[in-house]
Amino acid sequence: MKKNFLFLTVLAVLNLSLFAANPESDFEYEFLSNYEKGWLSQVEPSVDKSKDYLKITKYIGKSKTIDIPGDIEGYPVAATVFYGSGFSKVIVPASIIYLGNPYLETLEHPNCVIELSGSRKNVLIVEGGCFQYFKKLPIETKILAFGDIYFGKVSSITWSKNWKTNPHPYDMGMGINRSPSFWQFYKRKKITGLASLAASELTNTSGFTRPQISEHTGDCIKEFIFEEGCEEITGGFLGNCRHLERLVIPKSMKFIYGGKADWNTLCSGYLEGKLDIEIAPGCQVEFDGRGFYFPENKITIKSRKRLQEIGFRF
């Protein structure tokens, strides 16, 4: 009896160890600065600027699976800005608010995975390259995406009502020591966060490109569906989707921002075939009159008629 009990105890310990977070010795980390905490608190109200939070800056362990601890020595881990190779899975706890892409962008990682663990209530600010590593897209998670968004080699995408886009937050001091970007020179007037799919207002937008679907995934996408509940589309968001055949705009859509020249909102200026734009009955979407939206001879006649019905002027 005692032997059986001992065996079961050892087995339970082994099972727990298999799913335990990596030890803190596997990471290098530091406290968030007051400026970083202030930026995060504008996006996620649960961040208390009077408290201390950690960000992981480097992974130095040997495991193929990185299970990020939710706290270290009692301090919550709120951000990760490490990147590398040699690991195949990254498990992200509910404490993480800012998730940088952990995999080197210069290398292919076809079998790598990012998994969200725990019951998440807070917003997750995520680098756009991370989307390709979700085995199942976290449709129910409140996500604020920055940088170009890459879904991998997929042909159909449903954009969740819980996902928003924002300019690259290099100015919060949480860059990953990659090549300097001109994005860092633009400061926000305000952060719209989850209130809008449109990018935050900027003091100077000259030369600035808002987040968009990456050209590497854009060439694969043939169908893009905005989920009911989405209200705005950022200028230039679908500018790389040259093979787009079907675009679904829900009744909830309220405003579509135009892009510049041939990088635009509703499709690429170099669209390969015809695009069918489905606009839900009752939709009262407004268009930014200053923008460029699509090459008019590349949309179906049915779509053109529907656009005219809601007040779009060709």
Side-chain angles (χ1 to χ4, degrees), residues 123-124 126 131 134 138 141-145 162-165 194:
V123 176
L124 179 63
V126 58
F131 280 98
F134 292 119
T141 301
K142 292 180 180 179
I143 289 179
L144 182 59
N162 294 312
W163 302 346
K164 315 298 175 184
T165 61
L194 292 175

Side-chain angles (χ1 to χ4, degrees), residues 9-279:
T9 302
V10 171
L11 187 62
V13 171
L14 284 173
N15 283 333
L16 286 172
S17 65
L18 286 174
F19 295 100
N22 291 60
E24 60 189 56
S25 58
D26 278 358
F27 305 96
E28 292 182 4
Y29 45 89
E30 61 187 49
F31 285 112
L32 291 177
S33 68
N34 288 332
Y35 180 69
E36 291 167 345
K37 288 189 290 184
W39 193 92
L40 286 181
S41 69
Q42 295 181 70
V43 178
E44 174 48 57
S46 67
V47 174
D48 186 342
K49 292 184 286 185
S50 67
K51 294 183 179 179
D52 290 317
Y53 300 86
L54 295 174
K55 66 176 176 182
I56 291 177
T57 58
K58 191 174 183 180
Y59 175 66
I60 53 179
K62 303 295 184 183
S63 174
K64 293 289 185 181
T65 296
I66 302 177
D67 193 345
I68 299 168
D71 66 89
I72 295 177
E73 295 185 21
Y75 296 104
V77 177
T80 66
V81 294
F82 70 89
Y83 64 99
S85 58
F87 44 87
S88 57
K89 187 174 185 179
V90 177
I91 303 174
V92 181
S95 66
I96 295 294
I97 299 169
Y98 183 103
L99 176 64
N101 186 351
Y103 299 104
L104 285 169
E105 290 184 350
T106 54
L107 300 176
E108 291 288 334
H109 308 278
N111 300 315
C112 291
V113 175
I114 294 177
E115 181 181 296
L116 304 182
S117 68
S119 177
R120 177 173 291 275
K121 296 181 180 179
N122 56 302
V123 176
L124 179 63
I125 306 171
V126 58
E127 189 170 346
C130 291
F131 280 98
Q132 64 187 297
Y133 299 115
F134 292 119
K135 266 193 171 181
K136 183 180 179 182
L137 289 174
I139 295 290
E140 301 302 321
T141 301
K142 292 180 180 179
I143 289 179
L144 182 59
F146 65 90
D148 284 353
I149 297 163
Y150 183 44
F151 287 105
K153 306 296 183 182
V154 292
S155 61
S156 178
I157 291 293
T158 297
W159 183 265
S160 171
K161 64 180 181 294
N162 294 312
W163 302 346
K164 315 298 175 184
T165 61
N166 216 50
H168 207 302
Y170 273 141
D171 61 341
M172 69 185 291
M174 298 182 73
I176 321 177
N177 299 319
R178 297 180 178 175
S179 300
S181 168
F182 57 83
W183 280 329
Q184 65 188 321
F185 299 122
Y186 297 94
K187 302 295 182 180
R188 297 173 183 76
K189 291 180 182 177
K190 65 180 182 180
I191 294 175
T192 57
L194 292 175
S196 173
L197 226 180
S200 301
E201 293 184 15
L202 306 169
T203 56
N204 183 347
T205 58
S206 175
F208 185 90
T209 58
R210 293 188 176 102
Q212 62 183 164
I213 302 298
S214 164
E215 60 182 332
H216 301 294
T217 200
D219 273 346
C220 301
I221 294 175
K222 294 184 177 181
E223 177 183 66
F224 204 99
I225 301 168
F226 285 96
E227 186 182 37
E228 178 62 39
C230 292
E231 296 185 348
E232 297 181 353
I233 305 176
T234 302
F237 188 65
L238 300 178
N240 283 318
C241 298
R242 297 185 302 160
H243 300 281
L244 195 63
E245 297 175 357
R246 180 174 181 247
L247 174 65
V248 178
I249 297 175
K251 182 180 179 180
S252 58
M253 190 66 67
K254 295 179 179 178
F255 199 83
I256 297 177
Y257 289 76
K260 298 177 181 179
D262 52 15
W263 65 271
N264 46 72
T265 304
L266 292 182
C267 67
S268 169
Y270 302 99
L271 198 66
E272 295 290 333
K274 289 282 188 177
L275 172 64
D276 188 35
I277 304 172
E278 298 178 18
I279 304 174

